[in-house]
Amino acid sequence: MIEAIGVYKRYRHHRTRDWVLKDLSFTIPTGVSVGLVGSNGAGKSTLLRLIGGMDTPDRGGLVRNCRVSWPIGLGGGFQGSMTGRQNVTFVARIHGNEKGMERIIHYVQEFAEIGKAFDQPVKTYSSGMRARLAFGLSLAFDFDVYLSDEATAVGDAVFKEKAKKAFKDKVGQSSLIMVSHSEGILKELCQAGIWLRKGQAVWFDDINDALAEYRKG
């Protein structure tokens, strides 16, 4: 279960101090996959970062009674001067997977499909390569909830299909919280929906209802 309790978040840029998220309160039940919908700038990626613990609310809090991945697809959080292999090794050690180190490295290398770049500094990667590496690294661990920020939109058609299949394989064992501009993907992989609008969140038990309300504006 993941619970948001009166969550507020804003970024103090020189032009604005408006709240991105205002007084969000909702509960995501265990085992339920959720699609986040909303217009550009509605705070979908911000909410994913908060749920994943990569950022903190200005007010309120989030309760996570489960193991949550970092947001797949953002491609951030890597040490740029280290190679892909070194980054994967570092993360595996943090998560206490010394015994399964070789398995994790092999899995990520095969899944990411970035060839020789796996042994080159991450700062030389394109955004797509970073996202592939982050995608493979996330799936190499067993999380209760996987966070996805447009992860299935990364790469060519073959890799997109591979990404979609990987998520399908996870459904049933784990759940997803997903941002995607593809309604088809959201309908296929998610049961419930959260519509972010004007800084606030509206929960829908059915993803189809969330998408219908979003389309109405």
Side-chain angles (χ1 to χ4, degrees):
M1 182 190 77
I2 296 173
E3 184 178 9
I5 307 167
V7 170
Y8 284 77
K9 184 64 183 179
R10 68 180 169 191
Y11 297 100
R12 293 171 175 81
H13 301 306
H14 66 283
R15 284 181 291 184
T16 180
R17 290 191 177 186
D18 292 342
W19 293 104
V20 179
L21 303 173
K22 297 181 290 185
D23 199 20
L24 267 61
S25 294
F26 56 80
T27 299
I28 300 176
T30 301
V32 174
S33 291
V34 180
L36 301 184
V37 299
S39 59
N40 290 334
K44 301 184 295 296
S45 295
T46 297
L47 180 55
L48 273 192
R49 285 195 295 270
L50 294 176
I51 293 173
M54 297 175 71
D55 206 343
T56 55
D58 290 300
R59 301 180 193 168
L62 283 148
V63 179
R64 309 171 193 84
N65 294 318
C66 53
R67 293 189 69 207
V68 181
S69 80
W70 48 87
I72 306 167
L74 290 180
F78 293 122
Q79 219 306 315
S81 61
M82 291 166 58
T83 67
R85 185 186 302 275
Q86 289 169 334
N87 272 281
V88 171
T89 301
F90 177 72
V91 172
R93 283 180 178 150
I94 288 176
H95 283 267
N97 281 272
E98 287 281 356
K99 292 182 180 178
M101 185 77 69
E102 289 304 316
R103 178 195 63 79
I104 291 170
I105 293 172
H106 178 75
Y107 178 90
V108 177
Q109 186 172 15
E110 289 295 309
F111 193 94
E113 296 179 349
I114 57 175
K116 294 180 180 178
F118 191 62
D119 289 301
Q120 295 171 356
V122 169
K123 64 184 177 184
T124 65
Y125 289 12
S126 66
S127 59
M129 290 167 67
R130 281 175 174 259
R132 283 173 176 245
L133 187 68
F135 198 129
L137 184 55
S138 295
L139 295 179
F141 296 92
D142 293 324
F143 292 107
D144 299 311
V145 180
Y146 289 86
L147 308 180
S148 169
D149 195 338
E150 293 291 353
T152 54
V154 173
D156 56 24
V158 174
F159 190 84
K160 287 177 184 176
E161 201 56 40
K162 182 177 182 178
K164 186 165 72 171
K165 182 182 183 303
F167 276 136
K168 281 185 178 179
D169 291 343
K170 288 293 180 183
V171 173
Q173 309 168 44
S174 308
S175 58
L176 311 172
I177 301 176
M178 173 175 279
V179 171
S180 177
H181 285 99
S182 169
E183 290 194 9
I185 292 292
L186 293 174
K187 290 178 180 180
E188 195 171 351
L189 298 178
C190 302
Q191 297 93 49
I194 293 176
W195 178 30
L196 292 177
R197 180 174 180 269
K198 296 182 178 179
Q200 299 187 317
V202 183
W203 171 270
F204 293 87
D205 290 327
D206 190 321
I207 183 63
N208 293 289
D209 294 337
L211 290 167
E213 287 300 313
Y214 167 56
R215 285 194 296 269
K216 289 178 186 176

